[in-house]
Amino acid sequence: MSSMMAHGSMRRSRTTWRRLETRSEGGEQRGQEAGDRTPTAAPTGGGFGSPSDPGAPLADTPIQRRYADQLTLDGIYSDMSHQGWQQSAEDREMIAAYPEVFPNFYTVPTPWLEKAYLKELREFVLVGIRRFRWLLVALHQDSGDLLTVFDAWRAWRRSHGGSTWRSSFDVSAYYAHPDFPEELFEFLETAYLTPASRPGHLGILELVRLERTVRRLREPGGGTPGSGVPHLPPGVMLHRLAVDYEQLIGCLRRREGTARVADGSSTLARIAKGDGMAAYVSLSGLSVRLLELCDGARSVAEVTEAFARSDPDTGGVDPKKAALFGLEVLRQQGLVGV
């Protein structure tokens, strides 16, 4: 009964998730920085946090006044509370001693709602959006309900020796740790996206491969800025996919799922930004050929010579001149350093 009621209360979370598909895109999303560990008193205003959170009894709101003597300090907070990554024993003692000052760290009674489940779902969705949004969008569109993927993921993790949470801090710490994406990718590749899956899973598996590569990215060692030797700058990565990436993302934007993505191939360049973001550029065949020659060992003349010997289709333009022009365009895009 309790589980059924908890899943029924997830409808607002489903609505929140569907809104994600209409938000602005870009590369990876930047995560919020860990804040000051000092507890922050609740602002005044409405009585609840976001739809994916338990009620936040903000100070002097009707819900806080009604349930003032029934508030629970269980470590599961609303988005309205900015608790940082960890809290010291002194922080927790202060919050426990002055609930009228820090009511936003408490929750109202919810006997039919599994708050621990909702807390983990919140971390799963928010961290996933920040780290691999398009993968979560693809899983949601493929399954029709991201909660089914989340439930299967939780069951798989527990069956593979996943630790039991001792507190809500353990939940947040796990989902912020690199183990989470690695274990999620393993679940998707070995248990969820199996060979017997629908054809649309090829596109999702390619997104998993891309994210795995990004997580293991190492900066190229060749080339020095200002040396005159073409090289890939630090933070630039090339990745080949077995599907057309632009078509795949286009299908997800139009909410068509991944089953309609035709077989094909594409090469992406990932450009890491200094603010924690990343941009993705879909490359032409000629650009890929040039970038593969920019290994930090060849000079500009050697790159253009090697490019010309590969007999590229440059539409009648001298291959060496096309190579020089291409190098300059790639340099302006931040894909080549010299």
Side-chain angles (χ1 to χ4, degrees):
M1 178 68 176
S2 174
S3 177
M4 293 175 63
M5 294 292 291
H7 280 70
S9 68
M10 296 300 110
R11 292 175 182 171
R12 290 183 300 174
S13 297
R14 293 191 182 100
T15 302
T16 300
W17 172 252
R18 292 189 181 104
R19 291 173 185 157
L20 298 177
E21 297 176 289
T22 62
R23 289 175 58 181
S24 59
E25 287 84 36
E28 294 180 352
Q29 296 299 309
R30 181 181 180 184
Q32 185 178 14
E33 298 293 333
D36 184 358
R37 288 171 51 184
T38 304
T40 305
T44 58
F48 285 91
S50 73
S52 62
D53 282 318
L58 305 185
D60 201 32
T61 56
I63 191 172
Q64 187 267 338
R65 292 193 296 269
R66 179 176 178 180
Y67 295 102
D69 59 345
Q70 302 178 52
L71 299 182
T72 302
L73 183 60
D74 53 14
I76 299 177
Y77 310 118
S78 166
D79 277 341
M80 303 300 292
S81 306
H82 183 58
Q83 67 271 17
W85 289 110
Q86 294 290 340
Q87 288 176 342
S88 67
E90 292 80 5
D91 288 340
R92 290 191 290 273
E93 288 176 5
M94 186 183 304
I95 293 168
Y98 300 100
E100 69 280 2
V101 178
F102 304 110
N104 51 316
F105 288 89
Y106 291 73
T107 55
V108 297
T110 53
W112 303 113
L113 177 64
E114 295 180 25
K115 288 189 287 186
Y117 176 93
L118 193 59
K119 165 70 176 179
E120 187 175 351
L121 174 62
R122 174 186 180 277
E123 296 295 333
F124 176 85
V125 172
L126 293 186
V127 173
I129 294 168
R130 214 161 45 232
R131 294 186 176 182
F132 31 80
R133 170 177 295 181
W134 282 121
L135 177 57
L136 257 64
V137 170
L139 289 169
H140 174 60
Q141 292 186 10
D142 174 76
S143 65
D145 187 348
L146 189 66
L147 282 179
T148 62
V149 181
F150 174 68
D151 288 340
W153 149 248
R154 288 182 86 217
W156 179 89
R157 184 179 172 277
R158 289 176 177 174
S159 68
H160 285 70
S163 58
T164 301
W165 313 128
R166 293 175 298 175
S167 71
S168 65
F169 293 114
D170 289 345
V171 180
S172 299
Y174 170 76
Y175 280 93
H177 194 273
D179 284 351
F180 162 55
E182 288 300 324
E183 292 180 0
L184 177 65
F185 299 156
E186 181 183 352
F187 156 71
L188 292 174
E189 290 177 325
T190 63
Y192 188 76
L193 305 172
T194 63
S197 299
R198 296 193 300 274
H201 284 173
L202 173 62
I204 305 177
L205 281 169
E206 286 301 301
L207 290 176
V208 172
R209 287 185 56 243
L210 173 61
E211 294 299 338
R212 274 196 183 278
T213 303
V214 168
R215 307 254 118 30
R216 297 169 182 173
L217 176 65
R218 295 181 179 178
E219 295 183 354
T224 302
S227 65
V229 179
H231 61 278
L232 299 187
V236 172
M237 177 202 75
L238 303 185
H239 182 79
R240 285 189 174 86
L241 294 96
V243 296
D244 186 318
Y245 183 77
E246 291 186 349
Q247 184 189 21
L248 172 62
I249 299 302
C251 286
L252 293 176
R253 283 178 174 152
R254 294 188 296 271
R255 303 186 184 185
E256 297 173 352
T258 59
R260 301 179 62 178
V261 178
D263 293 339
S265 63
S266 58
T267 301
L268 291 180
R270 179 184 184 273
I271 309 172
K273 304 297 184 180
D275 57 359
M277 304 285 282
Y280 288 87
V281 179
S282 185
L283 301 171
S284 67
L286 293 179
S287 293
V288 173
R289 193 174 303 182
L290 266 179
L291 288 171
E292 289 175 339
L293 294 170
C294 296
D295 56 6
R298 295 182 174 93
S299 66
V300 172
E302 290 170 331
V303 168
T304 58
E305 182 67 31
F307 180 80
R309 288 199 303 269
S310 67
D311 193 26
D313 182 5
T314 57
V317 178
D318 179 81
K320 292 185 178 180
K321 291 183 179 180
L324 288 172
F325 177 78
L327 285 172
E328 175 59 20
V329 171
L330 293 172
R331 185 192 68 79
Q332 293 177 8
Q333 292 178 330
L335 296 171
V336 169
V338 291

